[in-house]
Amino acid sequence: MYPDTQLFIAGEWTNGSDGETLAVLNPATGGEIGRVAKATATDMDRALASAAKAFEQWRKTTASDRAKLLHAAADNLRARIDEIAPVLTMEQGKPLAEARSELRNADDVIRWFAEEAIRSYGRIIPARKPGVQQMVMKEPIGVVAAFTPWNYPVAQAIRKICAALAAGCTVILKAAEEAPASCAAMVRAFADAGFPDGAINLLYGIPSEISEYLIPHPVIRKVSFTGSTPVGKHLTALAGAHMKRVTMELGGHAPYIVCADADLSSAVSMLAGHKFHNAGQVCIAPTRVLVEEPVFDNVLEDFVNAAKAVKVGDGLSDGIDMGPMANARRLDAMDRLIGDAVAKGGRLLTGGNRIGNAGFFFEPTVLADVPQDAAIMNEEPFGPVAVVNRFAAVDAAIAEANRLPFGLAAYAFTRSQRHAQRFAEDIETGMLSINDYGLAYAEVPFNGVKDSGYGSEGGPEALETFQTIKFVSQTNL
Ligand code: NAD
C-alpha cells in the first residue's frame, strides 16, 4: 500500500544516479514501510540545469497561464486526496482526518496563489521631466532551492512551490526524507497538470549535502527553508556568503495568554484542540500557557481534563485524536524536557510517558508552575506538552512572552480592548491571534521575527519574497 519514492528531475521520475535509497519508517510501528531515492551530485546537477532551462520559459509565461496551470494542479490534488491521505498518515503518523485536512488546505493554498499571480502589479512613478516614463517592474528572482520538514510534508512544501511558481520562478525542492511519498504525490499533481519540464524538481537525500551543494551554486538565486533555528542560521550564513536571498520559517515557543476576563471555555477548548494537533509538532503550537492568577486553577483543571480525554493511537484507526510522534528523536526530547521540568520543581499533572514500546507514541502532557530556568521554558518542545504558568498582571505576561529569542506566533484571550491593544503593540511576534486561533490562512502573512526567522510564507508578502524589483526610466526620443 505504501509506495517507494523516486526523485523528480527534468520532468522525469527517476532513481538516484547510484541507485542508493533511504528507509522510511511508519511512526505507528517503528518498522520500515518503504524506501526513498537518495540524490547524488550528478542528480543535483541535472536538477539545476533543468530548473535553469525551465526558468527561461516560465518567466516569460503569462501570469494568467501560470494561474491556469496552478488551478489544474489543484484539481489533480483535490481528486487524489483520498488516495494520498493514508500515505501521509502512514509515513508521518497524523490521524487520517488531519492528513485530509492538510491536503484540502494545500488545494486552497494553490488556488489562492494562482489568483494572486495575476494581481502582482508594478507601478508608474511620476517623472521630474516631461517625456520620461519611470516604471517599477516586478520580476521573478530565478531558480529557488526550497527545503521542507517532516511535520507537514505537503503543506510546508506547497506554500513555497506555489508562491515561487506564481511569481515565475522555478524550484528545486528538497523535501523531508522521513515523510517523502505524500510530498511526491503532491508534486505529481503538478507534473500531471503540464508544467514545463524542470519547473519543479524534487530531491531527497542527505540534507546537509544537498543544501551545501545547491545554496552556493550560481543557478540558485533564492533559498527558502522551514525547520529548526540552528539549521536556519547555518543555511542563512551559507546563503549570505553567496549573496542569496532567504526566507526562513524557524522555531517558535508560542505564549498563550489567558486573562481573567476572557471567554475561558473557548480559550481552553482552542488550547486543547491545537496543542495536541499533529502531536504538538507544529511551529505555531501554544507552548507557554500564561494564565492570570484568579482563573489559574479553573483553566488548569479544564485543560488537564481535556488532555486526558485525547485518544491516542494509530492515525489510520477510527476515533483517534492524536497519532504517534513522527520520529524517535521527538520521544527522546519529550523525556528529557519533561524530566528536567519536574526535577526543577514543575508539577506534572497528566501524561509524561511514552505509550507502549512499538512506534513513537507519547501521552498528552500538562506541566504547571515550571520555573524559567527549566529547559522546556527555553527550547521549542515540538511535541504534545504544554506548560501552564500563572501571571499577576498583563505587564508580566508580556514580559514573559518577550523573554525568549523566538517570535513566531502568540495568542491572547481577553474581553478588554485595552489589554488587546497592549498585546498587539507590545508582544514581539510575527503573528498574534486575539480571542481565536486565526493564523495560517493562505491570504494572511505567515512569518516570524527574531530567531524565528524572516520573510513571509502567506499573503501577497509571500509572492514578493520571490520577486525582484527593476526600475526602468525611459526618455521618449
Ligand atoms: P533538524 O534541525 O535536524 O531538522 C529540521 C529540518 O531541517 C528537517 O526537515 C531536516 O531535514 C532539515 N535539515 C537539517 N539539517 C539540514 C541542512 N544542513 N540542510 C538542509 N536541511 C536540513 O531537527 P529535527 O529533529 O528534524 O527537528 C527538530 C526541531 O526542528 C524541532 O524540535 C523543531 O524545533 C524544528 N522543526 C521546525 C519545523 C517548523 O515547522 N518550523 C518543522 C520541523 C522541525
Short mmCIF file of all heavy atoms in Angstrom, two decimals, residues 413-440:
data_model
loop_
_atom_site.label_atom_id
_atom_site.label_comp_id
_atom_site.label_asym_id
_atom_site.label_seq_id
_atom_site.Cartn_x
_atom_site.Cartn_y
_atom_site.Cartn_z
N PHE A 413 -6.16 35.93 25.09
CA PHE A 413 -7.61 35.86 25.29
C PHE A 413 -8.00 36.87 26.35
O PHE A 413 -7.53 36.80 27.49
CB PHE A 413 -8.02 34.43 25.70
CG PHE A 413 -7.85 33.46 24.56
CD1 PHE A 413 -6.59 32.98 24.22
CD2 PHE A 413 -8.93 33.08 23.78
CE1 PHE A 413 -6.41 32.13 23.15
CE2 PHE A 413 -8.77 32.23 22.69
CZ PHE A 413 -7.51 31.76 22.37
N THR A 414 -8.85 37.82 25.97
CA THR A 414 -9.29 38.86 26.90
C THR A 414 -10.53 39.52 26.33
O THR A 414 -10.71 39.56 25.11
CB THR A 414 -8.19 39.93 27.09
OG1 THR A 414 -8.68 40.94 27.99
CG2 THR A 414 -7.77 40.60 25.78
N ARG A 415 -11.39 40.07 27.23
CA ARG A 415 -12.52 40.88 26.75
C ARG A 415 -12.17 42.37 26.81
O ARG A 415 -12.98 43.21 26.44
CB ARG A 415 -13.76 40.61 27.58
CG ARG A 415 -14.40 39.27 27.30
CD ARG A 415 -15.80 39.19 27.93
NE ARG A 415 -16.54 38.04 27.47
CZ ARG A 415 -16.55 36.86 28.08
NH1 ARG A 415 -15.83 36.68 29.18
NH2 ARG A 415 -17.27 35.87 27.60
N SER A 416 -11.00 42.68 27.31
CA SER A 416 -10.62 44.09 27.47
C SER A 416 -9.95 44.61 26.20
O SER A 416 -8.93 44.08 25.77
CB SER A 416 -9.66 44.23 28.67
OG SER A 416 -8.84 45.36 28.49
N GLN A 417 -10.54 45.67 25.64
CA GLN A 417 -9.95 46.27 24.45
C GLN A 417 -8.58 46.86 24.77
O GLN A 417 -7.65 46.82 23.97
CB GLN A 417 -10.90 47.35 23.90
CG GLN A 417 -10.40 48.09 22.68
CD GLN A 417 -10.05 47.14 21.52
OE1 GLN A 417 -10.66 46.08 21.36
NE2 GLN A 417 -9.03 47.50 20.75
N ARG A 418 -8.45 47.38 26.00
CA ARG A 418 -7.18 47.98 26.41
C ARG A 418 -6.07 46.91 26.45
O ARG A 418 -4.97 47.11 25.95
CB ARG A 418 -7.35 48.63 27.80
CG ARG A 418 -6.30 49.67 28.14
CD ARG A 418 -6.79 50.57 29.29
NE ARG A 418 -7.24 49.78 30.43
CZ ARG A 418 -6.44 49.33 31.40
NH1 ARG A 418 -5.15 49.58 31.37
NH2 ARG A 418 -6.93 48.63 32.41
N HIS A 419 -6.39 45.75 27.05
CA HIS A 419 -5.40 44.67 27.09
C HIS A 419 -5.07 44.19 25.67
O HIS A 419 -3.90 43.97 25.33
CB HIS A 419 -5.93 43.46 27.88
CG HIS A 419 -6.03 43.69 29.36
ND1 HIS A 419 -5.44 44.74 30.00
CD2 HIS A 419 -6.65 42.97 30.33
CE1 HIS A 419 -5.70 44.68 31.29
NE2 HIS A 419 -6.43 43.61 31.52
N ALA A 420 -6.11 44.03 24.86
CA ALA A 420 -5.90 43.54 23.49
C ALA A 420 -4.95 44.48 22.74
O ALA A 420 -4.04 44.04 22.03
CB ALA A 420 -7.23 43.43 22.76
N GLN A 421 -5.16 45.78 22.92
CA GLN A 421 -4.30 46.76 22.26
C GLN A 421 -2.86 46.65 22.75
O GLN A 421 -1.91 46.71 21.96
CB GLN A 421 -4.87 48.18 22.54
CG GLN A 421 -4.22 49.29 21.76
CD GLN A 421 -4.50 49.17 20.25
OE1 GLN A 421 -5.48 48.55 19.84
NE2 GLN A 421 -3.61 49.72 19.44
N ARG A 422 -2.71 46.48 24.06
CA ARG A 422 -1.35 46.30 24.62
C ARG A 422 -0.66 45.09 23.98
O ARG A 422 0.49 45.15 23.59
CB ARG A 422 -1.41 46.05 26.14
CG ARG A 422 -1.58 47.25 27.04
CD ARG A 422 -0.34 48.12 27.22
NE ARG A 422 0.97 47.49 27.29
CZ ARG A 422 1.58 47.04 28.39
NH1 ARG A 422 0.98 47.12 29.56
NH2 ARG A 422 2.79 46.54 28.33
N PHE A 423 -1.41 43.98 23.90
CA PHE A 423 -0.81 42.76 23.32
C PHE A 423 -0.39 43.03 21.88
O PHE A 423 0.71 42.66 21.45
CB PHE A 423 -1.78 41.58 23.39
CG PHE A 423 -2.10 41.14 24.81
CD1 PHE A 423 -3.40 40.83 25.18
CD2 PHE A 423 -1.10 41.02 25.76
CE1 PHE A 423 -3.69 40.42 26.48
CE2 PHE A 423 -1.38 40.63 27.06
CZ PHE A 423 -2.68 40.33 27.42
N ALA A 424 -1.29 43.66 21.12
CA ALA A 424 -1.00 43.92 19.70
C ALA A 424 0.24 44.80 19.56
O ALA A 424 1.05 44.60 18.66
CB ALA A 424 -2.20 44.55 19.02
N GLU A 425 0.38 45.77 20.45
CA GLU A 425 1.50 46.71 20.31
C GLU A 425 2.81 46.17 20.88
O GLU A 425 3.88 46.47 20.37
CB GLU A 425 1.17 48.03 21.02
CG GLU A 425 0.18 48.87 20.24
CD GLU A 425 -0.24 50.12 20.98
OE1 GLU A 425 0.33 50.44 22.04
OE2 GLU A 425 -1.17 50.78 20.47
N ASP A 426 2.72 45.38 21.95
CA ASP A 426 3.95 45.11 22.72
C ASP A 426 4.48 43.69 22.65
O ASP A 426 5.60 43.44 23.11
CB ASP A 426 3.74 45.51 24.19
CG ASP A 426 3.58 47.02 24.33
OD1 ASP A 426 4.00 47.74 23.39
OD2 ASP A 426 3.02 47.48 25.33
N ILE A 427 3.72 42.74 22.12
CA ILE A 427 4.29 41.38 22.03
C ILE A 427 5.16 41.31 20.79
O ILE A 427 4.75 41.68 19.69
CB ILE A 427 3.18 40.31 22.02
CG1 ILE A 427 2.45 40.33 23.36
CG2 ILE A 427 3.78 38.93 21.78
CD1 ILE A 427 1.36 39.28 23.49
N GLU A 428 6.38 40.84 20.99
CA GLU A 428 7.34 40.73 19.87
C GLU A 428 7.08 39.42 19.15
O GLU A 428 7.53 38.35 19.59
CB GLU A 428 8.77 40.76 20.42
CG GLU A 428 9.11 42.06 21.12
CD GLU A 428 10.37 41.96 21.97
OE1 GLU A 428 10.98 40.86 22.04
OE2 GLU A 428 10.74 42.97 22.59
N THR A 429 6.31 39.50 18.08
CA THR A 429 5.92 38.28 17.38
C THR A 429 5.60 38.59 15.93
O THR A 429 5.24 39.73 15.61
CB THR A 429 4.67 37.66 18.08
OG1 THR A 429 4.38 36.41 17.48
CG2 THR A 429 3.45 38.56 17.98
N GLY A 430 5.71 37.58 15.08
CA GLY A 430 5.32 37.78 13.69
C GLY A 430 3.83 37.65 13.49
O GLY A 430 3.26 38.22 12.55
N MET A 431 3.17 36.87 14.37
CA MET A 431 1.73 36.63 14.23
C MET A 431 1.09 36.61 15.62
O MET A 431 1.63 35.97 16.54
CB MET A 431 1.48 35.26 13.57
CG MET A 431 2.00 35.17 12.16
SD MET A 431 1.87 33.49 11.50
CE MET A 431 3.37 32.75 12.09
N LEU A 432 -0.03 37.28 15.75
CA LEU A 432 -0.74 37.33 17.03
C LEU A 432 -2.22 37.09 16.77
O LEU A 432 -2.81 37.75 15.91
CB LEU A 432 -0.54 38.71 17.68
CG LEU A 432 -1.40 39.04 18.90
CD1 LEU A 432 -1.07 38.12 20.07
CD2 LEU A 432 -1.19 40.50 19.32
N SER A 433 -2.81 36.17 17.49
CA SER A 433 -4.24 35.93 17.34
C SER A 433 -4.91 36.19 18.69
O SER A 433 -4.56 35.57 19.69
CB SER A 433 -4.49 34.50 16.87
OG SER A 433 -5.86 34.34 16.61
N ILE A 434 -5.88 37.11 18.68
CA ILE A 434 -6.56 37.50 19.93
C ILE A 434 -7.98 36.93 19.93
O ILE A 434 -8.74 37.15 18.99
CB ILE A 434 -6.58 39.04 20.07
CG1 ILE A 434 -5.13 39.57 20.11
CG2 ILE A 434 -7.33 39.47 21.33
CD1 ILE A 434 -5.01 41.08 20.08
N ASN A 435 -8.29 36.17 20.95
CA ASN A 435 -9.60 35.52 21.12
C ASN A 435 -9.93 34.52 20.02
O ASN A 435 -11.11 34.28 19.73
CB ASN A 435 -10.73 36.57 21.23
CG ASN A 435 -10.57 37.42 22.47
OD1 ASN A 435 -10.13 36.93 23.51
ND2 ASN A 435 -10.91 38.69 22.36
N ASP A 436 -8.91 33.96 19.39
CA ASP A 436 -9.14 33.00 18.31
C ASP A 436 -7.83 32.27 18.04
O ASP A 436 -6.78 32.59 18.61
CB ASP A 436 -9.60 33.75 17.05
CG ASP A 436 -10.13 32.81 15.98
OD1 ASP A 436 -10.38 31.63 16.28
OD2 ASP A 436 -10.30 33.26 14.83
N TYR A 437 -7.92 31.27 17.14
CA TYR A 437 -6.68 30.61 16.69
C TYR A 437 -6.56 30.90 15.19
O TYR A 437 -6.39 30.01 14.37
CB TYR A 437 -6.79 29.10 16.96
CG TYR A 437 -5.45 28.41 17.03
CD1 TYR A 437 -4.74 28.34 18.22
CD2 TYR A 437 -4.88 27.83 15.90
CE1 TYR A 437 -3.51 27.72 18.28
CE2 TYR A 437 -3.64 27.20 15.97
CZ TYR A 437 -2.97 27.15 17.16
OH TYR A 437 -1.75 26.54 17.23
N GLY A 438 -6.67 32.17 14.84
CA GLY A 438 -6.89 32.54 13.44
C GLY A 438 -5.64 32.81 12.63
O GLY A 438 -5.48 33.88 12.06
N LEU A 439 -4.74 31.85 12.53
CA LEU A 439 -3.49 32.05 11.78
C LEU A 439 -3.40 31.05 10.63
O LEU A 439 -4.12 30.06 10.59
CB LEU A 439 -2.29 31.84 12.71
CG LEU A 439 -2.25 32.65 14.00
CD1 LEU A 439 -0.99 32.31 14.80
CD2 LEU A 439 -2.30 34.14 13.74
N ALA A 440 -2.46 31.33 9.74
CA ALA A 440 -2.00 30.36 8.73
C ALA A 440 -2.94 30.17 7.54
O ALA A 440 -2.82 29.18 6.83
CB ALA A 440 -1.69 29.01 9.37
#
